[in-house]
């Protein structure tokens, strides 16, 4: 599949990015994509017109358009689980009829969204309250997609919060829930338990702790707990009344679920109207993805840039670098979205994948990262493609000097990665500093930057609910397009299961209730050490 691109690899992956700008000073116009008020610039990469043509040809070869249309039509593109993939329907509840297994799903989606909005309005107005009065705090208990999406979005939209304070518990480490519960009132706290099956061990362990805390503090669990789950039997057994249960279908994967009931905590924080704006931003990106030609299609060009860097040029990681403090959880969110979706080694037909799958995704917000790991980005021996994100405008007009400094740092870093600093330039600096001879050379070599390190930049006007919806949908479709091109199923996650199964089997062993003779020597030694340490 990558035959044509591999022919280009030896000459193109190492081509001078600065040299490409010397050949064409207007390169940024040709190697960027605009959609509404978003700009995606990939001109600071080694992608040329020839490379782009070969990359876009992959979309036809791998039938990206056909798979895309099948997804939006509700076909079972998640073939290993025989499921449709319709998180996109959550952000378009008013769309035309859409049938899954012979039933139109639009009406139930509208009904669920309406129930969420009515509950959110009752909570935010104080009509639904706890024994101590109106709810002041919301604790969302989930893990994975039931946590990463809502916590990322809630942090991102902090300027729009005008409801109860939101807190998020995910880790089964007791320190996580302890440190949150000790700061809030059990009689004015609403607890949301997010688990599709209502059996996820980490989530249900934390939920049981929260229920004991509420009841011990004078609260009423039946009044103060909500469930985001498809299991009426399990939620009823936990003591949550049916009117407090919001279900979602198996065609919504956890890492794609923030658009529906899993986003209830976000709706409580910003209100139903802002949540609708968030959905509208996602739908706008859906429409763009479905209609724009490949070279002007932002999710596709983001995906093809990733394919170029990872599968063709062989860069195994990518750094996501939002110059926006409120997007500080975006790298973690994208870690799951990309690595759980495309971290596969088997093709759709069950054959071993003959090339690398998804890259390692990591990052931190700027400018913090500049004082941490950017040293490696600039002068390390590994090339790490960088993906910068920045808003043209902040939310605090009185702090505009801060925002200007943020923006210029973002732009300067991408320029520095591309330009670098030559030995000749470094020698001139050291000569001006008074160094001579061998010491001048030695000092200069430490100040050489190889440059020619690729980066992309996504600029958005301001981080509003609508724009956040666009950004999340952009990355969702990027992952989808990459998966189709690689020939893998982006919508299952069997690699998550084995560790869970083994953890269940280890619990009685760690408690000393069962012999551990069947375990390997390392696991036996580690459990023995823990048992002795507790004694």
């Amino acid at each position: 599949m990558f035959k044509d691109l591999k022919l280009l690899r030896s000459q193109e992956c190492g081509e001078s990015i600065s040299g490409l700008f010397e050949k064409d000073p207007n390169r940024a116009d040709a190697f960027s994509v605009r959609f509404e008020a978003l700009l995606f610039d990939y001109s600071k990469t080694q992608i040329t017109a020839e490379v782009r043509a070969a990359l876009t040809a992959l979309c036809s070869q791998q039938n990206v358009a056909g798979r895309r249309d099948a997804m939006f039509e509700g076909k079972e593109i998640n073939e290993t689980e025989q499921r449709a993939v319709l998180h996109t329907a959550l952000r378009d509840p008013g769309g035309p009829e859409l049938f899954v297994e012979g039933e139109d799903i639009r009406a139930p989606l509208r009904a669920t969204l309406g129930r969420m909005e009515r509950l959110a309005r009752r909570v935010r107005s104080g009509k639904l309250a706890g024994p101590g009065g109106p709810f002041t705090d919301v604790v969302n208990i989930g893990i994975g997609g039931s946590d990463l999406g809502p916590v990322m979005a809630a942090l991102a939209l902090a300027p729009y919060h005008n409801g109860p304070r939101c807190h998020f518990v995910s880790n089964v480490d007791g320190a996580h829930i302890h440190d949150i519960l000790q700061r809030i009132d059990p009689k004015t706290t609403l607890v949301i338990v997010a688990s599709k099956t209502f059996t996820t061990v980490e989530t249900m362990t934390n939920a049981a702790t929260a229920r004991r805390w509420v009841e011990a503090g004078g609260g009423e669990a039946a009044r103060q707990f909500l469930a985001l789950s498809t299991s009426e039997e399990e939620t009823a057994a936990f003591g949550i009344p049916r009117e407090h249960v919001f279900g979602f279908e198996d065609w919504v994967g956890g890492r794609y679920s923030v658009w529906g009931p899993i986003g209830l905590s976000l709706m409580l924080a910003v209100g139903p109207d802002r949540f609708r704006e968030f959905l509208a931003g996602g739908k706008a990106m859906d429409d763009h993805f479905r209609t724009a030609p490949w070279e002007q299609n932002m999710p596709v060009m983001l995906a093809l840039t990733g394919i170029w860097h990872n599968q063709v040029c062989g860069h195994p990681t990518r750094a996501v670098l939002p110059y926006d403090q409120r997007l500080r959880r975006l790298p973690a969110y994208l870690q799951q979205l990309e690595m759980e979706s495309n971290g596969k080694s088997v093709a759709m037909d069950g054959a071993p994948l003959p090339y690398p799958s998804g890259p390692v995704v990591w990052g931190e917000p700027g400018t913090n990262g500049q004082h941490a790991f950017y040293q490696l980005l600039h002068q390390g021996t590994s090339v790490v493609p960088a993906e910068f994100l920045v808003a043209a405008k902040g939310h605090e007009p009185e702090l505009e000097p801060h925002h200007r400094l943020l923006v210029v740092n973002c732009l300067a870093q991408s320029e520095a990665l591309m330009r670098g600093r030559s030995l000749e330039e470094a020698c001139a600096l050291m000569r001006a500093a008074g160094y001579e001879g061998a010491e001048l050379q030695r000092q200069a070599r430490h100040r050489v930057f190889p440059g020619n390190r690729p980066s992309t930049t996504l600029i958005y006007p301001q981080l509003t609910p609508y724009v956040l919806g666009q950004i999340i949908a952009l990355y969702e479709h990027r992952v989808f397009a990459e998966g189709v091109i690689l020939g893998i199923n982006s919508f299952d996650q069997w690699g998550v299961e084995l560790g869970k199964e083994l953890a269940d089997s280890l619990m009685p062993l760690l408690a000393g209730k069962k012999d551990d003779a069947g375990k390997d020597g390392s696991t036996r030694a580690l459990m023995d050490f823990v048992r002795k340490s507790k004694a």
Side-chain angles (χ1 to χ4, degrees):
M1 178 179 64
F2 294 112
K3 179 180 177 182
D4 293 338
L5 284 167
K6 285 182 177 178
L7 292 175
L8 297 171
R9 176 176 177 175
S10 60
Q11 65 181 62
E12 301 286 357
C13 286
E15 182 156 0
S16 167
I17 303 172
S18 294
L20 293 174
F21 278 96
E22 290 174 6
K23 293 176 187 176
D24 179 9
N26 297 318
R27 172 176 166 79
D29 294 334
F31 292 86
S32 62
V33 180
R34 293 177 182 269
F35 170 60
E36 294 188 350
L38 304 184
L39 170 67
F40 171 61
D41 182 323
Y42 62 98
S43 62
K44 291 191 183 76
T45 70
Q46 284 99 347
I47 293 177
T48 62
E50 185 181 12
V51 167
R52 182 169 58 193
L55 287 167
T56 53
L58 288 176
C59 295
S60 298
Q61 293 170 26
Q62 296 299 99
N63 193 27
V64 171
R67 296 287 290 181
R68 174 196 63 195
D69 294 345
M71 176 176 70
F72 279 96
E73 291 166 3
K75 305 291 177 57
E76 291 184 354
I77 66 168
N78 179 354
E79 296 177 11
T80 62
E81 297 179 296
Q82 292 81 52
R83 294 177 182 173
V85 176
L86 280 170
H87 52 279
T88 54
L90 296 175
R91 46 199 187 233
D92 186 22
E97 290 181 334
L98 180 59
F99 290 90
V100 175
E101 297 180 350
E103 295 187 11
D104 178 23
I105 66 170
R106 296 288 190 193
L109 286 180
R110 287 192 292 271
T112 298
L113 182 59
R115 288 185 61 223
M116 290 170 59
E117 290 177 334
R118 288 191 292 275
L119 180 133
R121 290 192 173 98
R122 290 179 64 212
V123 170
R124 287 162 57 85
S125 68
K127 290 180 180 178
L128 179 61
F135 289 117
T136 57
D137 295 270
V138 173
V139 175
N140 186 91
I141 299 175
I143 197 165
S146 300
D147 170 77
L148 285 166
V151 72
M152 179 273 294
L155 289 169
L157 298 183
Y160 300 91
H161 287 209
N162 55 9
R165 296 181 295 267
C166 286
H167 314 270
F168 297 87
V169 174
S170 57
N171 201 327
V172 76
D173 183 343
H176 197 182
I177 193 166
H178 170 271
D179 290 352
I180 288 174
L181 297 185
Q182 71 172 348
R183 303 196 305 263
I184 55 181
D185 186 342
K187 291 187 289 187
T188 59
T189 295
L190 183 66
V191 181
I192 300 175
V193 184
S195 171
K196 184 178 287 189
T197 62
F198 230 63
T199 58
T200 307
V201 64
E202 299 95 337
T203 298
M204 299 317 300
T205 299
N206 281 324
T209 296
R211 182 173 59 185
R212 290 193 297 270
W213 170 79
V214 165
E215 292 172 345
E220 300 173 19
R223 183 172 165 185
Q224 293 176 243
F225 272 69
L226 307 175
L228 312 180
S229 174
T230 58
S231 177
E232 291 187 4
E233 182 178 344
E234 295 290 345
T235 55
F238 191 85
I240 299 177
R242 180 173 295 183
E243 63 270 21
H244 281 191
V245 178
F246 297 83
F248 51 100
E249 302 299 329
D250 63 7
W251 35 257
V252 178
R255 56 193 176 277
Y256 299 92
S257 61
V258 69
W259 312 98
I262 292 297
L264 182 57
S265 55
L266 177 64
M267 183 185 284
L268 289 167
V270 303
D273 293 341
R274 294 296 192 187
F275 192 83
R276 287 266 186 173
E277 293 172 14
F278 172 64
L279 299 184
K283 182 184 181 302
M285 186 58 71
D286 292 342
D287 294 342
H288 169 71
F289 178 52
R290 298 181 76 176
T291 59
W294 299 141
E295 288 189 11
Q296 284 82 50
N297 193 306
M298 194 173 288
V300 169
M301 290 314 303
L302 183 58
L304 293 177
T305 302
I307 292 285
W308 170 251
H309 286 148
N310 183 226
Q311 280 74 25
V312 182
C313 294
H315 306 315
T317 80
R318 72 167 62 117
V320 178
L321 308 171
Y323 275 65
D324 195 320
Q325 178 64 13
R326 293 188 174 110
L327 284 179
R328 60 189 176 275
R329 292 296 287 168
L330 181 67
Y333 175 78
L334 296 181
Q335 272 183 347
Q336 185 198 24
L337 182 64
E338 178 95 26
M339 296 170 71
E340 193 166 272
S341 296
N342 291 346
K344 310 290 170 61
S345 58
V346 178
M348 291 287 284
D349 62 2
L353 205 65
Y355 34 72
S357 59
V360 174
V361 178
W362 59 283
E364 280 287 326
T367 56
N368 291 12
Q370 292 176 202
H371 296 268
F373 53 81
Y374 277 42
Q375 168 64 39
L376 183 145
L377 299 187
H378 285 289
Q379 290 187 305
T381 55
S382 298
V383 174
V384 180
E387 298 186 352
F388 295 96
L389 300 92
V390 68
K393 179 182 178 183
H395 281 281
E396 295 78 26
E398 71 279 10
L399 299 176
E400 176 59 21
H402 286 253
H403 194 73
R404 283 199 302 271
L405 185 59
L406 185 76
V407 171
V408 298
N409 268 275
C410 178
L411 302 183
Q413 290 297 324
S414 67
E415 182 182 9
L417 286 168
M418 176 186 70
R419 289 180 54 144
R421 178 188 289 153
S422 68
L423 179 59
E424 183 180 2
E425 291 170 324
C427 284
L429 287 174
M430 294 301 94
R431 192 173 295 112
Y435 290 96
E436 297 178 349
E439 183 62 11
L440 183 149
Q441 288 289 324
R442 189 178 75 84
Q443 290 288 346
R445 290 186 186 281
H446 285 281
R447 290 161 174 79
V448 170
F449 290 68
N452 209 36
R453 305 214 160 179
S455 70
T456 64
T457 302
L458 178 69
I459 299 183
Y460 45 94
Q462 188 180 45
L463 193 58
T464 64
Y466 184 86
V467 167
L468 180 66
Q470 289 182 308
I471 291 172
I472 297 174
L474 166 66
Y475 278 93
E476 286 180 349
H477 294 319
R478 180 248 191 102
V479 167
F480 168 81
E482 286 180 338
V484 174
I485 290 169
L486 295 173
I488 59 180
N489 183 2
S490 298
F491 300 104
D492 61 14
Q493 54 281 325
W494 300 110
V496 176
E497 302 301 321
L498 180 58
K500 290 181 180 180
E501 295 169 11
L502 292 176
D504 289 342
S505 71
L506 285 175
M507 186 65 78
L509 275 64
L510 186 62
K513 296 178 181 179
K514 190 175 179 181
D515 184 75
D516 60 8
K519 290 297 178 181
D520 63 90
S522 172
T523 303
R524 289 201 309 272
L526 293 169
M527 286 196 297
D528 186 56
F529 184 87
V530 172
R531 286 192 291 261
K532 290 178 178 177
S533 297
K534 285 186 173 184

